[in-house]
Amino acid sequence: MTKPTDNEKNIETNFMEKMTYGEYLQLDSLLASQKRLSDHHDEMLFIIIHQVSELWMKLILHEINAAKQAIIEDQLQVSFKKLARVSQIQSQIIKAWDVLSTLTPAEYLEFRDKLGSSSGFQSYQYRLIEFALGNKTDYILKIYEKDAKLSEELKEAYQAPSLYDISIKALHKGSFDISEDVLNRDVTKPYQQDASVQKAWTTVYQNTDQYWDLYQLAEKLVDIEDSLQQWRFRHMKTVERIIGFKVGTGGSSGVNYLKQVLDQRFFPELWNLRTEL
């Protein structure tokens, strides 16, 4: 083994009374969490891809919630850094589908029955992200009734204003005339596009120098929705590649369901104005 150079003579080697890298990251518990239910080699791939995606989603929620608070406090510049980070995280999750797509139909069938009724459809962090972006559906909440604490967390997120609700209020604070129906709407319902919001965002895009912060906010929102739709598309194509049009393990229609959600819009006016400009 090569000895350290003089420039590296201060490298720590005695950790008898100091915290190690593994202890800080709790690697013992983290790396012990990949418990295969079959003897098939590729189940490890399947577990790790989904666990890594959940870790990235945890960070997405951490950043979106902080961005929402920054916007509420009129600190738009602070929110931009966090929203930009969300977009970069999303690129990592999108690439994960490339790794999972190396799993062939024959390989997946060797352990698919071990999943039982569990399914990515049940990912509560993904639901929290959808709620944060404004896609509110109450029937989803029934999935989580088994865990009272988790169920309460989902209900709280369901009843909270979305990132777009908060952004529209930032428009209003920026002296734009926004309909009272929008400002006081029931935030548990899916957002419906509104003419006053459309007019406000269009004005922002037509006068970017005057409304630079709001313009940047709008583009950060578009980045996030664009990436989310790319993630959904790669999800759909990966599922089709591995199981075709079989029913999902959680009972959904599988690929057909995933195709339907590709048509959902979170920030409709920001897409509409591209045609209007």
Side-chain angles (χ1 to χ4, degrees):
M1 180 177 177
T2 304
K3 292 183 178 181
T5 65
D6 289 342
N7 291 335
E8 298 168 341
K9 63 184 179 181
N10 293 323
I11 291 176
E12 292 283 358
T13 58
N14 183 354
F15 288 92
M16 297 303 293
E17 297 181 2
K18 297 177 182 177
M19 180 175 63
T20 66
Y21 171 82
E23 289 168 339
Y24 174 69
L25 295 177
Q26 301 182 56
L27 290 181
D28 283 350
S29 58
L30 180 65
L31 298 179
S33 298
Q34 294 73 47
K35 302 184 187 300
R36 289 182 293 169
L37 299 181
S38 74
D39 294 327
H40 197 274
H41 173 86
D42 292 315
E43 189 181 357
M44 184 65 75
L45 161 70
F46 190 82
I47 293 171
I48 288 177
I49 286 293
H50 287 84
Q51 287 183 339
V52 168
S53 294
E54 289 291 339
L55 285 172
W56 280 129
M57 283 192 275
K58 182 173 184 177
L59 186 54
I60 285 174
L61 287 165
H62 181 68
E63 300 297 340
I64 285 180
N65 289 332
K68 286 171 64 177
Q69 188 59 40
I71 296 169
I72 289 171
E73 295 172 359
D74 297 325
Q75 297 181 9
L76 294 186
Q77 289 292 332
V78 173
S79 77
F80 299 157
K81 173 65 178 292
K82 302 180 190 318
L83 295 176
R85 182 175 291 163
V86 169
S87 295
Q88 291 299 318
I89 297 166
Q90 288 176 300
S91 70
Q92 297 297 313
I93 298 183
I94 292 168
K95 290 296 292 181
W97 294 121
D98 293 340
V99 182
L100 187 59
S101 66
T102 64
L103 182 68
T104 69
E107 291 163 347
Y108 183 46
L109 286 173
E110 291 291 329
F111 62 86
R112 188 183 189 227
D113 63 319
K114 298 297 184 182
L115 276 62
S117 296
S118 65
S119 165
F121 183 84
Q122 299 148 17
S123 169
Y124 70 86
Q125 290 199 122
Y126 177 72
R127 296 305 169 189
L128 286 171
I129 291 171
E130 283 205 320
F131 288 175
L133 297 181
N135 187 24
K136 305 288 186 74
T137 47
D138 58 358
Y139 81 93
I140 289 293
L141 296 173
K142 292 185 64 64
I143 295 173
Y144 311 99
E145 291 177 348
K146 178 179 181 179
D147 185 326
K149 182 178 179 181
L150 178 58
S151 181
E152 187 60 33
E153 181 180 357
L154 266 294
K155 287 179 182 176
E156 183 178 339
Y158 176 74
Q159 294 167 356
S162 71
L163 176 62
Y164 198 45
D165 289 321
I166 291 168
S167 298
I168 290 172
K169 288 190 176 180
L171 272 177
H172 184 59
K173 288 181 183 178
S175 301
F176 285 98
D177 185 15
I178 303 298
S179 167
E180 289 295 325
D181 289 341
V182 174
L183 295 174
N184 300 314
R185 77 182 196 86
D186 181 355
V187 297
T188 67
K189 304 297 183 185
Y191 176 78
Q192 300 295 323
Q193 62 188 51
D194 177 84
S196 66
V197 175
Q198 183 75 62
K199 181 179 179 181
W201 282 127
T202 300
T203 301
V204 167
Y205 274 73
Q206 289 172 332
N207 302 273
T208 57
D209 290 343
Q210 183 178 353
Y211 302 109
W212 184 252
D213 279 357
L214 289 170
Y215 174 61
Q216 287 189 86
L217 174 59
E219 284 298 290
K220 292 292 186 290
L221 296 179
V222 171
D223 287 343
I224 289 173
E225 179 167 343
D226 189 352
S227 293
L228 182 65
Q229 294 294 54
Q230 290 184 49
W231 182 90
R232 284 172 159 180
F233 179 78
R234 290 295 295 120
H235 184 189
M236 181 269 292
K237 295 305 293 184
T238 302
V239 171
E240 183 178 2
R241 176 172 177 156
I242 296 174
I243 68 168
F245 285 80
K246 290 185 180 70
V247 172
T249 50
S252 76
S253 58
V255 169
N256 286 325
Y257 170 78
L258 296 174
K259 285 184 175 180
Q260 291 172 18
V261 299
L262 287 173
D263 291 330
Q264 292 175 350
R265 287 288 197 201
F266 293 95
F267 318 130
E269 292 88 356
L270 294 178
W271 294 97
N272 294 342
L273 66 82
R274 281 154 164 77
T275 303
E276 291 187 6
L277 287 177

